[in-house]
Amino acid sequence: EIRFYAPSFTYYKTKHYCSSTSEFPTISVTGNACALNCKHCGGKVLETMHPALSPQELFDLGVKLKENGAKGCLVSGGCLPDGSVPLDGSVPVFGRFKRELGLTVFVHTGIINRETAVALKDAGVDAALIDVIGSAETVGKIYNLKVTVQDYTDSLNALQNAKLNFVPHVIVGLNEGKLDGELKALQMIQQVKPSAIVIIAFMPIHGTAMAKTPPPKPADIAKVTAMARLMFPETPLVL
């Protein structure tokens, strides 16, 4: 069984499916700001999110979204130079989202330590989402980061040790459309027990440094998906 998802930053309408921008919106705790300026994103994805630059602004936004029909939200944001999303000040608000608004709360973490993972668990966050990169070249060249592949392994361990539901994302073709470290990323994830695994195909975004980079070949996407299915036969797989 394979599940498919439609990212909320793009609107979809076909005879089979019409996306909703109100049921599960995405929030950025940094607005459009990001220290990395990744080549594949360049902050463009952040521009599609609802900004909330303070805890009070975040809660007020949650109330408004709930009134507009939201069932939950994904809280994300731009990264700091160490690859983490600055979530600590927002953690108490996540608890209020759960207790007072009854929202499902997903959080995109970036690189994360155990203390923050435990705080997210204590706040009642439903799941943490994390991109897992298995190539040092991709980390440095595409993400403009000076962290190591081991830092992603440590983040996975932090999430598991906190007993928080977590969903690793593996991006196929992120290194200029070619395979580079996707199998390694799956092997890293195999050392822990994720709640689900998301396989994403790199999609060129207009206005970024990789806007004209070709997406990965369908055969490469199928290869990574097949490997994930073989390595994680009991884990929900989302494309």
Side-chain angles (χ1 to χ4, degrees):
E1 181 177 283
I2 298 178
R3 298 168 174 84
F4 294 88
Y5 78 100
S8 61
F9 63 83
T10 300
Y11 178 70
Y12 304 84
K13 184 176 182 180
T14 71
K15 64 179 182 179
H16 302 292
Y17 175 76
C18 181
S19 62
S20 168
T21 58
S22 60
E23 287 191 359
F24 213 96
T26 305
I27 301 168
S28 171
V29 296
T30 65
N32 295 342
C34 179
L36 303 185
N37 192 30
C38 301
K39 290 182 173 62
H40 69 297
C41 173
K44 295 298 182 182
V45 174
L46 295 174
E47 295 175 5
T48 69
M49 302 180 186
H50 297 275
L53 302 181
S54 70
Q56 186 60 53
E57 188 177 349
L58 178 61
F59 183 74
D60 292 344
L61 176 59
V63 171
K64 180 180 178 181
L65 295 174
K66 176 71 174 181
E67 292 173 347
N68 289 337
K71 298 177 181 178
C73 61
L74 167 61
V75 181
S76 184
C79 288
L80 299 174
D82 64 0
S84 67
V85 178
L87 296 168
D88 291 344
S90 303
V91 170
V93 180
F94 302 154
R96 296 186 68 190
F97 277 2
K98 299 295 299 178
R99 294 189 307 272
E100 300 176 34
L101 302 179
L103 293 173
T104 298
V105 180
F106 289 175
V107 176
H108 179 243
T109 66
I111 299 294
I112 187 171
N113 58 38
R114 187 179 185 279
E115 290 74 19
T116 301
V118 169
L120 294 177
K121 172 66 176 179
D122 291 345
V125 166
D126 293 279
L129 314 183
I130 179 171
D131 295 342
V132 179
I133 311 300
S135 161
E137 179 179 331
T138 300
V139 171
K141 185 171 72 173
I142 306 301
Y143 274 75
N144 298 320
L145 263 175
K146 295 183 179 180
V147 303
T148 66
V149 170
Q150 182 63 41
D151 289 310
Y152 289 94
T153 296
D154 292 344
S155 294
L156 290 170
N157 289 330
L159 293 168
Q160 176 157 286
N161 291 338
K163 297 181 171 58
L164 179 65
N165 293 327
F166 63 100
V167 181
H169 291 42
V170 177
I171 307 175
V172 182
L174 184 58
N175 192 351
E176 299 183 345
K178 65 180 185 291
L179 294 183
D180 178 36
E182 288 85 349
L183 175 58
K184 173 64 175 177
L186 290 173
Q187 291 171 336
M188 292 156 59
I189 298 167
Q190 202 172 29
Q191 305 308 308
V192 292
K193 296 181 179 180
S195 303
I197 297 172
V198 176
I199 305 296
I200 301 173
F202 160 70
M203 179 180 67
I205 299 175
H206 179 73
T208 68
M210 294 175 64
K212 296 183 179 180
T213 300
K217 298 176 181 178
D220 287 341
I221 300 170
K223 180 179 180 180
V224 175
T225 302
M227 289 191 297
R229 186 72 289 163
L230 287 172
M231 295 170 69
F232 303 91
E234 305 299 327
T235 304
L237 183 64
V238 183
L239 294 181

